[in-house]
Amino acid sequence: QVQLQQWGAGLLKPSETLSLTCSVYGASFSGHLWTWIRQPPGKGLEWIGEITQGGSTNHNSSLRSRVTISADMSKNHFSLKLGSVTAADTAVYYCGRRVATPVHVDLWGQGTLVTVSS
Amino acid sequence: NFMLTQPHSVSGSPGKTVTISCTRSGGSFVSNSVQWYQQRPGSAPTTLISGSNLRSSGVPDRFSGSIDSSSNSASLTISGLKTEDEADYYCQSYDTVNHLWVFGGGTKVTVL
């Protein structure tokens, strides 16, 4: 069964860097694209960015300068870093497997709540 | 860029049918370009429908999707409403010009 398991620090101080990793189990990592989506408490879903099989990335322009998405195929995982976090970055962060066409998520990670607080 | 607008909430009694709209501002939907996700309280979203009307594996046929080009909107219809259908529902599409994902604001479905 294909699963995505994500982990990372759940409590950060303002200006620190958020770092999350999503491991892929039961699927070919290199055969798919991968994405990150977040959801502030009580709010809707916001796309953060994605990474292709070839390592190319694309980010939400509202976050682009702070976002780094990378992948390690040897470890079957991909990662998200978001720099200079503020309270506005408090959210549940989800990793997902991205389908090429039509563009959507067909498999979700369990979500990680990241809280930014001084 | 375009936006997707959903009603904040819809409700219905068990066994009834509810429809959630997703209206696109600017441009037009391509026929297979809308996805729907269900998110139960405290859980990660799950994918209900892709390509506007293709149900994901395991999704009952009580859930159906459609596009109305004349109103530039997509719809998710839930028939035979069950208490387990209480959840938030999100539509999603892709901006092919700017290469970014667009989500609707979400609709809370309440089963009365």
Side-chain angles (χ1 to χ4, degrees):
Chain A
Q1 185 179 358
V2 183
Q3 280 190 335
L4 302 182
Q5 288 273 0
Q6 53 183 108
W7 73 88
L11 181 61
L12 297 173
K13 290 181 166 45
S15 81
E16 292 184 333
T17 295
L18 177 156
S19 181
L20 297 174
T21 298
C22 183
S23 279
V24 180
Y25 298 98
S28 166
F29 182 83
S30 61
H32 296 277
L33 301 90
W34 308 94
T35 191
W36 289 96
I37 289 164
R38 71 180 183 179
Q39 184 174 36
K43 296 188 177 180
L45 301 170
E46 178 185 27
W47 175 71
I48 298 171
E50 61 194 9
I51 186 165
T52 70
Q53 302 99 319
S56 299
T57 59
N58 184 32
H59 309 129
N60 188 325
S61 58
S62 68
L63 302 169
R64 180 175 291 166
S65 62
R66 299 192 291 132
V67 172
T68 302
I69 296 176
S70 60
D72 186 337
M73 285 195 291
S74 68
K75 295 182 179 179
N76 245 37
H77 72 213
F78 61 106
S79 300
L80 168 70
K81 291 188 187 300
L82 180 66
S84 303
V85 296
T86 69
D89 296 310
T90 294
V92 177
Y93 287 75
Y94 295 101
C95 62
R97 185 173 67 181
R98 183 239 207 239
V99 174
T101 304
V103 174
H104 71 284
V105 173
D106 71 340
L107 182 67
W108 296 77
Q110 79 275 21
T112 301
L113 174 61
V114 178
T115 302
V116 181
S117 174
S118 55
Chain B
N1 293 13
F2 60 88
M3 293 175 57
L4 300 177
T5 301
Q6 300 180 232
H8 288 295
S9 63
V10 298
S11 61
S13 302
K16 298 299 185 183
T17 296
V18 296
T19 297
I20 302 168
S21 61
C22 173
T23 302
R24 172 171 169 154
S25 67
S28 57
F29 280 123
V30 177
S31 61
N32 68 343
S33 63
V34 178
Q35 282 61 238
W36 291 92
Y37 305 97
Q38 178 191 64
Q39 186 177 34
R40 293 192 172 104
S43 297
T46 59
T47 306
L48 282 178
I49 286 176
S50 63
S52 302
N53 59 10
L54 181 63
R55 282 185 298 276
S56 297
S57 175
V59 174
D61 59 7
R62 301 185 297 104
F63 293 87
S64 63
S66 64
I67 284 184
D68 181 353
S69 300
S70 65
S71 61
N72 213 24
S73 65
S75 294
L76 173 70
T77 298
I78 310 172
S79 57
L81 202 60
K82 298 184 176 184
T83 55
E84 68 204 47
D85 298 333
E86 277 209 342
D88 294 324
Y89 293 83
Y90 295 91
C91 61
Q92 173 258 315
S93 191
Y94 186 70
D95 183 336
T96 57
V97 173
N98 298 293
H99 302 287
L100 57 87
W101 299 43
V102 182
F103 285 97
T107 298
K108 182 176 182 60
V109 169
T110 301
V111 181
L112 303 171

